Amino acid sequence: MRNPCVAHRGWSSRAPENTMAAIRMAIQDPDVEWIEIDVHLSKDHVPVVIHDPTLRRTTNGKGDVKNLTAAELTSLDAGNWFSQKYQGEPVPTLDQVLKETVGHCKLNIELKTNGIRYPLIEQKVLECIQSYKAEKEVVITCFHEGTLYRMKKLSGVIRTGLIIDGWRNTLPKELKELGSDFLSIAYTKLNKERVALLREAGIQIMAWTINEKRAIRKVAELDPEILICTNYPDRWHEVRQRTVSHR
């Protein structure tokens, strides 16, 4: 099994998701090639790394991410909900994440916008990436096609990819029209025929979010190049080692 591992929101089964603790844990594993993170914009237009548009689930804050400044967001506790061990772990900025990942790990940066929320998100995220000369080390993904189109207009260099929880046979054509060569897709939507169609079109596939070892093995058997996005990189390791030992 060659399938590269993508640590979903960092090593999110062992440390609080989308925090530097989870991201550092993933970086420290030399076999984890990718980390997936989620980005919103603060009130003062700073890209911050958090999954939800609201603060309640993963921090001690209340309200919407967009209503707080970066200074206010980074002063919140984003770790105690997960474990007392991580009490005081802050909400990181994209800048902080890039500072540690560049040269060590590729980033899948999901923009958490519907095209209306955060009208400056493409520009601000791109500026941050460019400040680290990291255009070749990231892929920008989003559920919203217009966001990917705008990102591609801002930078013809940066890779983009559509996120989808479904399937339609027109996907390769749609991705080509967007200038995208990456598809982030719910793993249950993949089969041999669909994978072959995407691979023929030169599209890199990331399957999310695969946490059971049996499902990891099943997706890996479809194609050795599919990226396995998981909260449990240790389970990915186990499946890979077992596959090697059975050869």
Side-chain angles (χ1 to χ4, degrees), residues 39-56 62-73 76 91 112-114 116-121:
V39 170
H40 292 257
L41 277 192
S42 66
K43 185 179 180 179
D44 48 349
H45 308 304
V46 175
V48 291
V49 180
I50 186 171
H51 181 270
D52 299 357
T54 55
L55 297 164
R56 184 179 293 276
K62 292 179 182 177
D64 294 342
V65 173
K66 66 180 181 180
N67 292 332
L68 275 70
T69 64
E72 290 168 330
L73 289 165
L76 296 174
V91 172
K112 304 297 284 188
T113 179
N114 55 6
I116 299 168
R117 187 194 300 131
Y118 314 132
L120 292 174
I121 193 167

Side-chain angles (χ1 to χ4, degrees), residues 85-122:
K85 174 184 174 184
Y86 292 105
Q87 186 172 2
E89 186 71 31
V91 172
T93 62
L94 178 59
D95 182 84
Q96 289 171 320
V97 173
L98 284 165
K99 191 174 184 179
E100 298 213 20
T101 56
V102 169
H104 299 286
C105 197
K106 292 181 181 177
L107 272 188
N108 177 337
I109 303 171
E110 179 179 345
L111 304 188
K112 304 297 284 188
T113 179
N114 55 6
I116 299 168
R117 187 194 300 131
Y118 314 132
L120 292 174
I121 193 167
E122 302 93 350

Side-chain angles (χ1 to χ4, degrees), residues 6-10 18 34-38 108 110 206 229:
V6 185
H8 183 238
R9 306 180 197 171
N18 279 317
W34 287 80
I35 297 172
E36 186 269 353
I37 59 171
D38 305 285
N108 177 337
E110 179 179 345
M206 185 185 83
C229 185

Side-chain angles (χ1 to χ4, degrees), residues 10-11 18-27 35 37 49 92 97 101:
W11 201 312
N18 279 317
T19 63
M20 291 311 304
I23 289 160
R24 286 183 186 122
M25 200 172 286
I27 293 170
I35 297 172
I37 59 171
V49 180
V97 173
T101 56

Side-chain angles (χ1 to χ4, degrees), residues 42-194:
S42 66
K43 185 179 180 179
D44 48 349
H45 308 304
V46 175
V48 291
V49 180
I50 186 171
H51 181 270
D52 299 357
T54 55
L55 297 164
R56 184 179 293 276
R57 183 177 67 86
T58 60
T59 79
N60 63 340
K62 292 179 182 177
D64 294 342
V65 173
K66 66 180 181 180
N67 292 332
L68 275 70
T69 64
E72 290 168 330
L73 289 165
T74 55
S75 68
L76 296 174
D77 184 332
N80 193 52
W81 69 272
F82 183 88
S83 164
Q84 201 168 358
K85 174 184 174 184
Y86 292 105
Q87 186 172 2
E89 186 71 31
V91 172
T93 62
L94 178 59
D95 182 84
Q96 289 171 320
V97 173
L98 284 165
K99 191 174 184 179
E100 298 213 20
T101 56
V102 169
H104 299 286
C105 197
K106 292 181 181 177
L107 272 188
N108 177 337
I109 303 171
E110 179 179 345
L111 304 188
K112 304 297 284 188
T113 179
N114 55 6
I116 299 168
R117 187 194 300 131
Y118 314 132
L120 292 174
I121 193 167
E122 302 93 350
Q123 178 188 328
K124 294 301 180 181
V125 166
L126 182 60
E127 286 171 3
C128 194
I129 292 165
Q130 288 173 331
S131 71
Y132 285 93
K133 297 181 170 58
E135 293 96 324
K136 300 284 181 70
E137 297 186 47
V138 305
V139 61
I140 302 297
T141 58
C142 191
F143 279 95
H144 184 254
E145 293 187 12
T147 298
L148 300 177
Y149 177 77
R150 284 194 290 272
M151 180 60 82
K152 209 67 186 177
K153 278 193 77 175
L154 289 170
S155 168
V157 176
I158 206 151
R159 293 181 72 199
T160 60
L162 183 66
I163 309 172
I164 192 166
D165 182 10
W167 177 261
R168 47 189 183 264
N169 289 333
T170 54
L171 277 172
K173 183 172 179 278
E174 290 173 44
L175 288 163
K176 186 178 180 181
E177 288 170 355
L178 285 170
S180 299
D181 65 352
F182 191 97
L183 182 68
S184 174
I185 184 168
Y187 78 92
T188 54
K189 308 302 179 185
L190 290 173
N191 59 35
K192 277 280 188 187
E193 292 73 29
R194 292 171 179 179

